[in-house]
Tab-separated table of all heavy atoms in Angstrom:
chain	number	residue	atom	x	y	z
A	1	MET	N	57.700	94.479	-92.871
A	1	MET	CA	58.447	95.491	-93.579
A	1	MET	C	58.433	95.205	-95.060
A	1	MET	O	58.474	94.047	-95.482
A	1	MET	CB	59.880	95.574	-93.014
A	1	MET	CG	60.910	95.368	-94.066
A	1	MET	SD	62.639	95.162	-93.666
A	1	MET	CE	63.111	96.316	-92.495
A	2	PHE	N	58.345	96.266	-95.820
A	2	PHE	CA	58.466	96.180	-97.281
A	2	PHE	C	59.586	97.100	-97.741
A	2	PHE	O	60.021	97.958	-97.005
A	2	PHE	CB	57.163	96.570	-97.969
A	2	PHE	CG	56.000	95.654	-97.610
A	2	PHE	CD1	55.130	95.981	-96.596
A	2	PHE	CD2	55.813	94.485	-98.322
A	2	PHE	CE1	54.075	95.143	-96.278
A	2	PHE	CE2	54.761	93.646	-97.998
A	2	PHE	CZ	53.893	93.971	-96.984
A	3	VAL	N	60.031	96.879	-98.963
A	3	VAL	CA	61.101	97.696	-99.530
A	3	VAL	C	60.599	98.336	-100.816
A	3	VAL	O	59.966	97.659	-101.635
A	3	VAL	CB	62.346	96.852	-99.802
A	3	VAL	CG1	63.457	97.698	-100.380
A	3	VAL	CG2	62.784	96.133	-98.559
A	4	GLU	N	60.852	99.618	-100.981
A	4	GLU	CA	60.501	100.296	-102.211
A	4	GLU	C	61.745	100.935	-102.789
A	4	GLU	O	62.638	101.377	-102.058
A	4	GLU	CB	59.443	101.384	-101.951
A	4	GLU	CG	58.100	100.807	-101.565
A	4	GLU	CD	57.032	101.862	-101.375
A	4	GLU	OE1	57.387	103.069	-101.296
A	4	GLU	OE2	55.882	101.488	-101.295
A	5	ALA	N	61.798	101.002	-104.105
A	5	ALA	CA	62.923	101.632	-104.775
A	5	ALA	C	62.435	102.534	-105.908
A	5	ALA	O	61.408	102.248	-106.529
A	5	ALA	CB	63.879	100.571	-105.352
A	6	ASN	N	63.162	103.605	-106.135
A	6	ASN	CA	62.847	104.546	-107.191
A	6	ASN	C	64.005	104.507	-108.183
A	6	ASN	O	65.006	105.206	-107.981
A	6	ASN	CB	62.641	105.936	-106.629
A	6	ASN	CG	62.273	106.930	-107.719
A	6	ASN	OD1	62.358	106.619	-108.901
A	6	ASN	ND2	61.882	108.132	-107.312
A	7	PRO	N	63.884	103.723	-109.275
A	7	PRO	CA	64.974	103.614	-110.235
A	7	PRO	C	65.341	104.964	-110.885
A	7	PRO	O	66.472	105.173	-111.285
A	7	PRO	CB	64.437	102.647	-111.283
A	7	PRO	CG	63.374	101.892	-110.608
A	7	PRO	CD	62.762	102.865	-109.600
A	8	GLU	N	64.363	105.895	-110.964
A	8	GLU	CA	64.658	107.180	-111.564
A	8	GLU	C	65.606	108.008	-110.698
A	8	GLU	O	66.325	108.894	-111.193
A	8	GLU	CB	63.366	107.943	-111.817
A	8	GLU	CG	62.508	107.272	-112.896
A	8	GLU	CD	61.269	108.077	-113.212
A	8	GLU	OE1	61.168	109.230	-112.800
A	8	GLU	OE2	60.383	107.501	-113.863
A	9	ARG	N	65.605	107.740	-109.434
A	9	ARG	CA	66.467	108.460	-108.526
A	9	ARG	C	67.807	107.760	-108.326
A	9	ARG	O	68.791	108.369	-107.866
A	9	ARG	CB	65.770	108.578	-107.156
A	9	ARG	CG	66.369	109.567	-106.224
A	9	ARG	CD	65.420	109.838	-105.075
A	9	ARG	NE	66.028	110.805	-104.178
A	9	ARG	CZ	65.377	111.462	-103.239
A	9	ARG	NH1	64.079	111.260	-103.086
A	9	ARG	NH2	65.988	112.294	-102.461
A	10	CYS	N	67.860	106.485	-108.644
A	10	CYS	CA	69.033	105.663	-108.425
A	10	CYS	C	70.175	106.095	-109.357
A	10	CYS	O	69.959	106.313	-110.556
A	10	CYS	CB	68.673	104.195	-108.725
A	10	CYS	SG	70.063	103.074	-108.709
A	11	CYS	N	71.377	106.199	-108.797
A	11	CYS	CA	72.547	106.564	-109.619
A	11	CYS	C	73.410	105.355	-109.947
A	11	CYS	O	74.504	105.497	-110.468
A	11	CYS	CB	73.362	107.662	-108.931
A	11	CYS	SG	74.114	107.132	-107.388
A	12	GLY	N	72.936	104.165	-109.569
A	12	GLY	CA	73.633	102.936	-109.935
A	12	GLY	C	74.878	102.639	-109.172
A	12	GLY	O	75.759	101.917	-109.663
A	13	ALA	N	75.015	103.200	-107.992
A	13	ALA	CA	76.217	102.988	-107.179
A	13	ALA	C	76.396	101.544	-106.751
A	13	ALA	O	77.506	101.091	-106.509
A	13	ALA	CB	76.217	103.915	-105.974
A	14	GLY	N	75.300	100.830	-106.594
A	14	GLY	CA	75.361	99.395	-106.284
A	14	GLY	C	75.569	99.086	-104.811
A	14	GLY	O	75.766	97.916	-104.448
A	15	MET	N	75.530	100.079	-103.931
A	15	MET	CA	75.768	99.813	-102.525
A	15	MET	C	74.673	98.929	-101.922
A	15	MET	O	74.959	98.090	-101.068
A	15	MET	CB	75.830	101.123	-101.734
A	15	MET	CG	76.966	102.051	-102.189
A	15	MET	SD	78.587	101.249	-102.089
A	15	MET	CE	78.740	101.080	-100.324
A	16	CYS	N	73.466	99.094	-102.415
A	16	CYS	CA	72.349	98.287	-101.890
A	16	CYS	C	72.570	96.815	-102.218
A	16	CYS	O	72.369	95.948	-101.352
A	16	CYS	CB	71.038	98.784	-102.472
A	16	CYS	SG	70.988	98.822	-104.275
A	17	ALA	N	73.001	96.515	-103.427
A	17	ALA	CA	73.211	95.130	-103.832
A	17	ALA	C	74.380	94.514	-103.098
A	17	ALA	O	74.406	93.284	-102.834
A	17	ALA	CB	73.399	95.065	-105.332
A	18	LEU	N	75.364	95.319	-102.739
A	18	LEU	CA	76.474	94.824	-101.950
A	18	LEU	C	76.065	94.546	-100.500
A	18	LEU	O	76.444	93.550	-99.887
A	18	LEU	CB	77.640	95.823	-101.960
A	18	LEU	CG	78.413	95.916	-103.269
A	18	LEU	CD1	79.408	97.061	-103.207
A	18	LEU	CD2	79.133	94.606	-103.567
A	19	ALA	N	75.253	95.462	-99.947
A	19	ALA	CA	74.848	95.333	-98.556
A	19	ALA	C	73.805	94.250	-98.342
A	19	ALA	O	73.829	93.529	-97.319
A	19	ALA	CB	74.311	96.677	-98.055
A	20	ALA	N	72.893	94.097	-99.274
A	20	ALA	CA	71.785	93.126	-99.143
A	20	ALA	C	71.510	92.462	-100.481
A	20	ALA	O	70.511	92.740	-101.135
A	20	ALA	CB	70.531	93.847	-98.605
A	21	PRO	N	72.409	91.592	-100.902
A	21	PRO	CA	72.282	90.996	-102.249
A	21	PRO	C	71.048	90.108	-102.423
A	21	PRO	O	70.631	89.848	-103.541
A	21	PRO	CB	73.575	90.218	-102.409
A	21	PRO	CG	74.076	89.952	-101.026
A	21	PRO	CD	73.612	91.149	-100.230
A	22	GLU	N	70.483	89.650	-101.325
A	22	GLU	CA	69.281	88.832	-101.412
A	22	GLU	C	68.036	89.676	-101.670
A	22	GLU	O	66.993	89.154	-102.048
A	22	GLU	CB	69.072	88.020	-100.110
A	22	GLU	CG	70.180	87.051	-99.797
A	22	GLU	CD	71.356	87.695	-99.065
A	22	GLU	OE1	71.289	88.900	-98.806
A	22	GLU	OE2	72.320	86.975	-98.773
A	23	VAL	N	68.171	90.965	-101.446
A	23	VAL	CA	67.004	91.859	-101.519
A	23	VAL	C	67.104	92.834	-102.691
A	23	VAL	O	66.105	93.192	-103.297
A	23	VAL	CB	66.831	92.607	-100.200
A	23	VAL	CG1	65.617	93.537	-100.248
A	23	VAL	CG2	66.709	91.640	-99.028
A	24	PHE	N	68.326	93.243	-103.022
A	24	PHE	CA	68.510	94.228	-104.074
A	24	PHE	C	69.419	93.691	-105.157
A	24	PHE	O	70.408	93.004	-104.902
A	24	PHE	CB	69.132	95.515	-103.515
A	24	PHE	CG	68.313	96.197	-102.490
A	24	PHE	CD1	68.667	96.129	-101.167
A	24	PHE	CD2	67.181	96.911	-102.848
A	24	PHE	CE1	67.912	96.756	-100.205
A	24	PHE	CE2	66.429	97.558	-101.860
A	24	PHE	CZ	66.759	97.481	-100.551
A	25	GLY	N	69.067	94.042	-106.392
A	25	GLY	CA	69.919	93.742	-107.521
A	25	GLY	C	69.999	94.960	-108.385
A	25	GLY	O	69.507	96.015	-108.040
A	26	GLN	N	70.694	94.826	-109.530
A	26	GLN	CA	70.808	95.943	-110.450
A	26	GLN	C	70.393	95.491	-111.848
A	26	GLN	O	70.799	94.396	-112.289
A	26	GLN	CB	72.231	96.478	-110.468
A	26	GLN	CG	72.603	97.263	-109.226
A	26	GLN	CD	74.008	97.787	-109.278
A	26	GLN	OE1	74.941	97.081	-108.960
A	26	GLN	NE2	74.163	99.036	-109.722
A	27	ASP	N	69.662	96.343	-112.520
A	27	ASP	CA	69.270	96.070	-113.887
A	27	ASP	C	70.564	95.943	-114.769
A	27	ASP	O	71.452	96.782	-114.658
A	27	ASP	CB	68.418	97.242	-114.409
A	27	ASP	CG	67.940	96.999	-115.824
A	27	ASP	OD1	68.677	97.362	-116.755
A	27	ASP	OD2	66.861	96.429	-115.982
A	28	GLU	N	70.623	94.880	-115.523
A	28	GLU	CA	71.827	94.605	-116.293
A	28	GLU	C	72.142	95.713	-117.316
A	28	GLU	O	73.307	96.006	-117.567
A	28	GLU	CB	71.729	93.253	-117.007
A	28	GLU	CG	71.847	92.108	-116.060
A	28	GLU	CD	71.908	90.754	-116.796
A	28	GLU	OE1	72.182	90.770	-118.001
A	28	GLU	OE2	71.721	89.729	-116.149
A	29	GLU	N	71.143	96.312	-117.884
A	29	GLU	CA	71.381	97.354	-118.880
A	29	GLU	C	71.495	98.740	-118.259
A	29	GLU	O	72.466	99.450	-118.500
A	29	GLU	CB	70.254	97.324	-119.918
A	29	GLU	CG	70.315	96.092	-120.803
A	29	GLU	CD	69.273	96.131	-121.930
A	29	GLU	OE1	68.675	97.194	-122.126
A	29	GLU	OE2	69.077	95.086	-122.553
A	30	ALA	N	70.533	99.121	-117.474
A	30	ALA	CA	70.511	100.470	-116.912
A	30	ALA	C	71.412	100.621	-115.696
A	30	ALA	O	71.856	101.713	-115.373
A	30	ALA	CB	69.088	100.841	-116.554
A	31	GLY	N	71.656	99.503	-114.999
A	31	GLY	CA	72.479	99.555	-113.786
A	31	GLY	C	71.738	100.073	-112.558
A	31	GLY	O	72.314	100.252	-111.507
A	32	THR	N	70.455	100.296	-112.724
A	32	THR	CA	69.670	100.841	-111.620
A	32	THR	C	69.089	99.721	-110.750
A	32	THR	O	69.065	98.559	-111.142
A	32	THR	CB	68.541	101.749	-112.134
A	32	THR	OG1	67.801	101.028	-113.119
A	32	THR	CG2	69.097	103.011	-112.762
A	33	VAL	N	68.650	100.126	-109.580
A	33	VAL	CA	68.237	99.182	-108.549
A	33	VAL	C	67.002	98.353	-108.960
A	33	VAL	O	66.095	98.857	-109.632
A	33	VAL	CB	67.949	99.947	-107.233
A	33	VAL	CG1	66.816	100.928	-107.420
A	33	VAL	CG2	67.653	98.981	-106.105
A	34	LEU	N	67.027	97.105	-108.532
A	34	LEU	CA	65.874	96.206	-108.650
A	34	LEU	C	65.589	95.665	-107.252
A	34	LEU	O	66.535	95.285	-106.530
A	34	LEU	CB	66.187	95.023	-109.578
A	34	LEU	CG	66.511	95.334	-111.033
A	34	LEU	CD1	66.965	94.061	-111.728
A	34	LEU	CD2	65.262	95.890	-111.715
A	35	VAL	N	64.352	95.634	-106.877
A	35	VAL	CA	63.971	95.007	-105.619
A	35	VAL	C	63.675	93.538	-105.903
A	35	VAL	O	62.793	93.210	-106.692
A	35	VAL	CB	62.766	95.692	-104.968
A	35	VAL	CG1	62.345	94.947	-103.723
A	35	VAL	CG2	63.088	97.151	-104.655
A	36	LEU	N	64.433	92.636	-105.261
A	36	LEU	CA	64.296	91.225	-105.520
A	36	LEU	C	63.355	90.535	-104.520
A	36	LEU	O	62.810	89.469	-104.830
A	36	LEU	CB	65.678	90.541	-105.447
A	36	LEU	CG	66.775	91.128	-106.337
A	36	LEU	CD1	68.084	90.403	-106.081
A	36	LEU	CD2	66.377	91.071	-107.798
A	37	ALA	N	63.203	91.117	-103.375
A	37	ALA	CA	62.373	90.506	-102.334
A	37	ALA	C	61.710	91.561	-101.481
A	37	ALA	O	62.369	92.280	-100.742
A	37	ALA	CB	63.223	89.601	-101.464
A	38	SER	N	60.400	91.699	-101.615
A	38	SER	CA	59.632	92.603	-100.761
A	38	SER	C	58.274	91.979	-100.476
A	38	SER	O	57.467	91.830	-101.400
A	38	SER	CB	59.453	93.983	-101.436
A	38	SER	OG	58.788	94.857	-100.554
A	39	PRO	N	58.059	91.562	-99.241
A	39	PRO	CA	58.907	91.802	-98.065
A	39	PRO	C	60.157	90.914	-98.053
A	39	PRO	O	60.072	89.755	-98.517
A	39	PRO	CB	57.989	91.452	-96.897
A	39	PRO	CG	57.023	90.453	-97.452
A	39	PRO	CD	56.828	90.853	-98.902
A	40	PRO	N	61.265	91.427	-97.531
A	40	PRO	CA	62.436	90.610	-97.360
A	40	PRO	C	62.295	89.654	-96.189
A	40	PRO	O	61.505	89.918	-95.260
A	40	PRO	CB	63.560	91.647	-97.094
A	40	PRO	CG	62.858	92.805	-96.488
A	40	PRO	CD	61.474	92.821	-97.095
A	41	ASP	N	63.047	88.555	-96.218
A	41	ASP	CA	63.064	87.668	-95.051
A	41	ASP	C	63.587	88.410	-93.829
A	41	ASP	O	64.452	89.293	-93.958
A	41	ASP	CB	63.982	86.452	-95.322
A	41	ASP	CG	63.398	85.539	-96.374
A	41	ASP	OD1	62.191	85.587	-96.608
A	41	ASP	OD2	64.181	84.754	-96.961
A	42	VAL	N	63.085	88.048	-92.668
A	42	VAL	CA	63.462	88.739	-91.441
A	42	VAL	C	64.994	88.726	-91.256
A	42	VAL	O	65.568	89.721	-90.778
A	42	VAL	CB	62.772	88.062	-90.210
A	42	VAL	CG1	63.290	88.638	-88.911
A	42	VAL	CG2	61.248	88.250	-90.317
A	43	GLU	N	65.626	87.667	-91.627
A	43	GLU	CA	67.101	87.586	-91.444
A	43	GLU	C	67.839	88.634	-92.287
A	43	GLU	O	69.017	88.864	-92.030
A	43	GLU	CB	67.585	86.191	-91.817
A	43	GLU	CG	67.442	85.865	-93.287
A	43	GLU	CD	67.224	84.375	-93.532
A	43	GLU	OE1	66.309	83.832	-92.890
A	43	GLU	OE2	67.964	83.791	-94.344
A	44	HIS	N	67.168	89.277	-93.224
A	44	HIS	CA	67.822	90.260	-94.062
A	44	HIS	C	67.449	91.706	-93.697
A	44	HIS	O	67.915	92.651	-94.336
A	44	HIS	CB	67.487	90.028	-95.544
A	44	HIS	CG	67.943	88.678	-96.039
A	44	HIS	ND1	67.232	87.884	-96.869
A	44	HIS	CD2	69.108	87.992	-95.772
A	44	HIS	CE1	67.867	86.768	-97.098
A	44	HIS	NE2	69.003	86.802	-96.455
A	45	TRP	N	66.648	91.856	-92.670
A	45	TRP	CA	66.176	93.190	-92.301
A	45	TRP	C	67.336	94.136	-91.956
A	45	TRP	O	67.345	95.279	-92.361
A	45	TRP	CB	65.190	93.120	-91.150
A	45	TRP	CG	63.816	92.664	-91.552
A	45	TRP	CD1	63.464	92.038	-92.719
A	45	TRP	CD2	62.609	92.785	-90.780
A	45	TRP	NE1	62.126	91.723	-92.718
A	45	TRP	CE2	61.576	92.171	-91.553
A	45	TRP	CE3	62.316	93.319	-89.532
A	45	TRP	CZ2	60.275	92.146	-91.103
A	45	TRP	CZ3	61.009	93.270	-89.085
A	45	TRP	CH2	59.995	92.671	-89.856
A	46	GLU	N	68.273	93.629	-91.200
A	46	GLU	CA	69.386	94.480	-90.786
A	46	GLU	C	70.206	94.906	-92.002
A	46	GLU	O	70.602	96.091	-92.123
A	46	GLU	CB	70.295	93.750	-89.800
A	46	GLU	CG	71.359	94.650	-89.191
A	46	GLU	CD	72.093	93.946	-88.048
A	46	GLU	OE1	71.548	92.985	-87.469
A	46	GLU	OE2	73.195	94.371	-87.735
A	47	ALA	N	70.414	93.995	-92.945
A	47	ALA	CA	71.150	94.330	-94.166
A	47	ALA	C	70.365	95.363	-95.005
A	47	ALA	O	70.947	96.251	-95.610
A	47	ALA	CB	71.406	93.074	-94.976
A	48	VAL	N	69.041	95.264	-95.012
A	48	VAL	CA	68.228	96.230	-95.736
A	48	VAL	C	68.399	97.619	-95.087
A	48	VAL	O	68.547	98.625	-95.800
A	48	VAL	CB	66.759	95.819	-95.720
A	48	VAL	CG1	65.868	96.953	-96.233
A	48	VAL	CG2	66.561	94.569	-96.589
A	49	GLN	N	68.391	97.678	-93.781
A	49	GLN	CA	68.563	98.962	-93.094
A	49	GLN	C	69.939	99.536	-93.430
A	49	GLN	O	70.070	100.740	-93.653
A	49	GLN	CB	68.401	98.788	-91.606
A	49	GLN	CG	66.937	98.488	-91.217
A	49	GLN	CD	66.751	98.059	-89.773
A	49	GLN	OE1	67.698	97.599	-89.136
A	49	GLN	NE2	65.551	98.234	-89.274
A	50	ASP	N	70.955	98.677	-93.483
A	50	ASP	CA	72.282	99.146	-93.886
A	50	ASP	C	72.262	99.697	-95.295
A	50	ASP	O	72.857	100.746	-95.594
A	50	ASP	CB	73.304	97.985	-93.784
A	50	ASP	CG	73.604	97.560	-92.378
A	50	ASP	OD1	73.283	98.350	-91.445
A	50	ASP	OD2	74.155	96.473	-92.181
A	51	ALA	N	71.598	98.983	-96.194
A	51	ALA	CA	71.526	99.429	-97.588
A	51	ALA	C	70.871	100.791	-97.710
A	51	ALA	O	71.360	101.655	-98.471
A	51	ALA	CB	70.773	98.373	-98.426
A	52	VAL	N	69.805	100.984	-96.986
A	52	VAL	CA	69.107	102.295	-97.047
A	52	VAL	C	70.044	103.392	-96.581
A	52	VAL	O	70.100	104.483	-97.190
A	52	VAL	CB	67.826	102.243	-96.184
A	52	VAL	CG1	67.243	103.645	-96.042
A	52	VAL	CG2	66.804	101.294	-96.820
A	53	GLN	N	70.800	103.126	-95.541
A	53	GLN	CA	71.717	104.156	-95.045
A	53	GLN	C	72.897	104.400	-95.992
A	53	GLN	O	73.434	105.488	-96.065
A	53	GLN	CB	72.222	103.777	-93.655
A	53	GLN	CG	71.130	103.832	-92.616
A	53	GLN	CD	71.636	103.606	-91.193
A	53	GLN	OE1	72.772	103.183	-91.006
A	53	GLN	NE2	70.822	103.892	-90.209
A	54	LEU	N	73.299	103.347	-96.709
A	54	LEU	CA	74.464	103.461	-97.580
A	54	LEU	C	74.127	104.092	-98.921
A	54	LEU	O	75.015	104.611	-99.625
A	54	LEU	CB	75.067	102.074	-97.804
A	54	LEU	CG	75.828	101.485	-96.615
A	54	LEU	CD1	76.139	99.997	-96.885
A	54	LEU	CD2	77.114	102.239	-96.388
A	55	CYS	N	72.880	103.995	-99.340
A	55	CYS	CA	72.503	104.508	-100.657
A	55	CYS	C	72.770	106.019	-100.751
A	55	CYS	O	72.238	106.778	-99.968
A	55	CYS	CB	71.015	104.233	-100.919
A	55	CYS	SG	70.443	104.943	-102.487
A	56	PRO	N	73.596	106.423	-101.708
A	56	PRO	CA	73.954	107.842	-101.784
A	56	PRO	C	72.878	108.732	-102.387
A	56	PRO	O	72.988	109.967	-102.314
A	56	PRO	CB	75.196	107.813	-102.694
A	56	PRO	CG	74.992	106.622	-103.548
A	56	PRO	CD	74.306	105.613	-102.689
A	57	SER	N	71.849	108.146	-102.968
A	57	SER	CA	70.850	108.971	-103.636
A	57	SER	C	69.474	108.897	-102.994
A	57	SER	O	68.519	109.494	-103.500
A	57	SER	CB	70.745	108.584	-105.106
A	57	SER	OG	70.383	107.220	-105.224
A	58	GLY	N	69.339	108.170	-101.908
A	58	GLY	CA	68.035	108.083	-101.258
A	58	GLY	C	67.000	107.414	-102.129
A	58	GLY	O	65.820	107.754	-102.057
A	59	ALA	N	67.414	106.434	-102.910
A	59	ALA	CA	66.514	105.827	-103.869
A	59	ALA	C	65.740	104.620	-103.328
A	59	ALA	O	64.864	104.093	-103.982
A	59	ALA	CB	67.282	105.408	-105.110
A	60	ILE	N	66.120	104.172	-102.143
A	60	ILE	CA	65.426	103.006	-101.555
A	60	ILE	C	64.928	103.372	-100.173
A	60	ILE	O	65.539	104.194	-99.480
A	60	ILE	CB	66.356	101.774	-101.489
A	60	ILE	CG1	67.678	102.105	-100.814
A	60	ILE	CG2	66.556	101.205	-102.886
A	60	ILE	CD1	68.618	100.922	-100.665
A	61	ARG	N	63.836	102.755	-99.805
A	61	ARG	CA	63.298	103.047	-98.474
A	61	ARG	C	62.520	101.853	-97.949
A	61	ARG	O	62.090	100.959	-98.701
A	61	ARG	CB	62.420	104.283	-98.487
A	61	ARG	CG	61.117	104.096	-99.252
A	61	ARG	CD	60.272	105.301	-99.153
A	61	ARG	NE	58.943	105.063	-99.781
A	61	ARG	CZ	57.875	105.781	-99.564
A	61	ARG	NH1	57.912	106.790	-98.708
A	61	ARG	NH2	56.744	105.513	-100.167
A	62	ILE	N	62.381	101.851	-96.637
A	62	ILE	CA	61.599	100.836	-95.939
A	62	ILE	C	60.202	101.395	-95.668
A	62	ILE	O	60.077	102.534	-95.239
A	62	ILE	CB	62.273	100.458	-94.622
A	62	ILE	CG1	63.622	99.787	-94.869
A	62	ILE	CG2	61.350	99.590	-93.759
A	62	ILE	CD1	64.483	99.651	-93.644
A	63	VAL	N	59.198	100.614	-95.948
A	63	VAL	CA	57.850	100.990	-95.567
A	63	VAL	C	57.266	99.833	-94.786
A	63	VAL	O	57.540	98.661	-95.021
A	63	VAL	CB	56.979	101.301	-96.810
A	63	VAL	CG1	57.449	102.553	-97.516
A	63	VAL	CG2	56.940	100.154	-97.784
A	64	MET	N	56.480	100.183	-93.787
A	64	MET	CA	55.990	99.151	-92.880
A	64	MET	C	54.687	98.515	-93.345
A	64	MET	O	54.301	97.467	-92.873
A	64	MET	CB	55.829	99.707	-91.467
A	64	MET	CG	57.146	100.138	-90.847
A	64	MET	SD	58.492	98.925	-91.053
A	64	MET	CE	57.881	97.562	-90.069
A	65	SER	N	53.995	99.157	-94.275
A	65	SER	CA	52.777	98.552	-94.810
A	65	SER	C	52.530	99.073	-96.211
A	65	SER	O	53.003	100.151	-96.566
A	65	SER	CB	51.595	98.858	-93.904
A	65	SER	OG	51.319	100.226	-93.893
A	66	ARG	N	51.808	98.292	-96.969
A	66	ARG	CA	51.368	98.706	-98.268
A	66	ARG	C	49.871	98.459	-98.362
A	66	ARG	O	49.338	97.588	-97.667
A	66	ARG	CB	52.105	97.921	-99.376
A	66	ARG	CG	53.555	98.252	-99.458
A	66	ARG	CD	54.201	97.837	-100.764
A	66	ARG	NE	53.872	96.483	-101.194
A	66	ARG	CZ	54.683	95.720	-101.909
A	66	ARG	NH1	55.870	96.169	-102.234
A	66	ARG	NH2	54.340	94.522	-102.263
A	67	VAL	N	49.238	99.196	-99.236
A	67	VAL	CA	47.803	99.116	-99.343
A	67	VAL	C	47.362	97.719	-99.773
A	67	VAL	O	46.370	97.167	-99.277
A	67	VAL	CB	47.283	100.148	-100.333
A	67	VAL	CG1	45.793	99.982	-100.599
A	67	VAL	CG2	47.570	101.564	-99.820
A	68	ASP	N	48.145	97.092	-100.657
A	68	ASP	CA	47.712	95.848	-101.254
A	68	ASP	C	48.237	94.596	-100.537
A	68	ASP	O	47.931	93.487	-100.934
A	68	ASP	CB	48.129	95.803	-102.728
A	68	ASP	CG	49.619	95.984	-102.921
A	68	ASP	OD1	50.250	96.540	-102.021
A	68	ASP	OD2	50.123	95.537	-103.977
A	69	GLU	N	49.038	94.766	-99.500
A	69	GLU	CA	49.573	93.604	-98.800
A	69	GLU	C	49.616	93.860	-97.311
A	69	GLU	O	49.682	94.987	-96.865
A	69	GLU	CB	51.010	93.284	-99.294
A	69	GLU	CG	51.065	92.876	-100.728
A	69	GLU	CD	52.472	92.463	-101.126
A	69	GLU	OE1	53.055	91.621	-100.446
A	69	GLU	OE2	52.964	92.997	-102.109
A	70	GLN	N	49.615	92.807	-96.552
A	70	GLN	CA	49.702	92.920	-95.107
A	70	GLN	C	51.144	92.959	-94.686
A	70	GLN	O	51.964	92.201	-95.191
A	70	GLN	CB	49.029	91.727	-94.442
A	70	GLN	CG	47.538	91.664	-94.679
A	70	GLN	CD	46.837	92.874	-94.086
A	70	GLN	OE1	47.082	93.217	-92.937
A	70	GLN	NE2	45.972	93.499	-94.869
A	71	PRO	N	51.527	93.852	-93.748
A	71	PRO	CA	52.923	93.882	-93.264
A	71	PRO	C	53.216	92.658	-92.453
A	71	PRO	O	52.323	92.013	-91.902
A	71	PRO	CB	52.965	95.133	-92.421
A	71	PRO	CG	51.533	95.322	-91.965
A	71	PRO	CD	50.689	94.843	-93.105
A	72	ILE	N	54.494	92.343	-92.344
A	72	ILE	CA	54.936	91.233	-91.509
A	72	ILE	C	54.857	91.671	-90.040
A	72	ILE	O	55.290	92.734	-89.706
A	72	ILE	CB	56.359	90.788	-91.853
A	72	ILE	CG1	56.394	90.165	-93.204
A	72	ILE	CG2	56.880	89.803	-90.813
A	72	ILE	CD1	57.774	89.749	-93.670
I	1	SF4	S1	72.646	102.112	-103.483
I	1	SF4	FE1	71.067	103.560	-104.110
I	1	SF4	S2	71.922	104.569	-105.869
I	1	SF4	FE2	73.129	102.709	-105.557
I	1	SF4	S3	72.153	101.130	-106.833
I	1	SF4	FE3	71.246	101.026	-104.809
I	1	SF4	S4	69.412	102.310	-104.933
I	1	SF4	FE4	70.734	102.843	-106.641
């Protein structure tokens, strides 16, 4: 699993960073989402799923593969 975020869509609510602080952070100036770990460790997958559901703007998503990397 990989995690993608769209900072332009992010409204800075911070729910992702609360739900999965090992995987999501917030830009100190803009307040928008930062992906800290992609792919995230398996132990954080459930928290990532929670974060995606909690995000009010649909700015983060899970993708199972990327062109440039192998999925876990
Ligand atoms: S929960 Fe969504 S809107 Fe809030 S900071 Fe995270 S990505 Fe942005």
Side-chain angles (χ1 to χ4, degrees):
M1 124 189 316
F2 296 96
V3 180
E4 292 182 347
N6 182 350
E8 293 184 13
R9 194 167 180 165
C10 173
C11 65
M15 299 304 292
C16 56
L18 287 173
E22 298 85 0
V23 181
F24 299 105
Q26 286 181 276
D27 182 272
E28 287 188 16
E29 291 185 11
T32 51
V33 62
L34 297 173
V35 176
L36 306 177
S38 183
D41 291 340
V42 172
E43 67 210 53
H44 299 140
W45 283 16
E46 189 172 338
V48 169
Q49 291 170 338
D50 290 344
V52 170
Q53 291 187 348
L54 288 168
C55 176
S57 60
I60 51 177
R61 68 175 185 161
I62 294 167
V63 293
M64 296 314 294
S65 65
R66 292 197 314 210
V67 172
D68 58 337
E69 295 185 52
Q70 294 297 312
I72 292 178

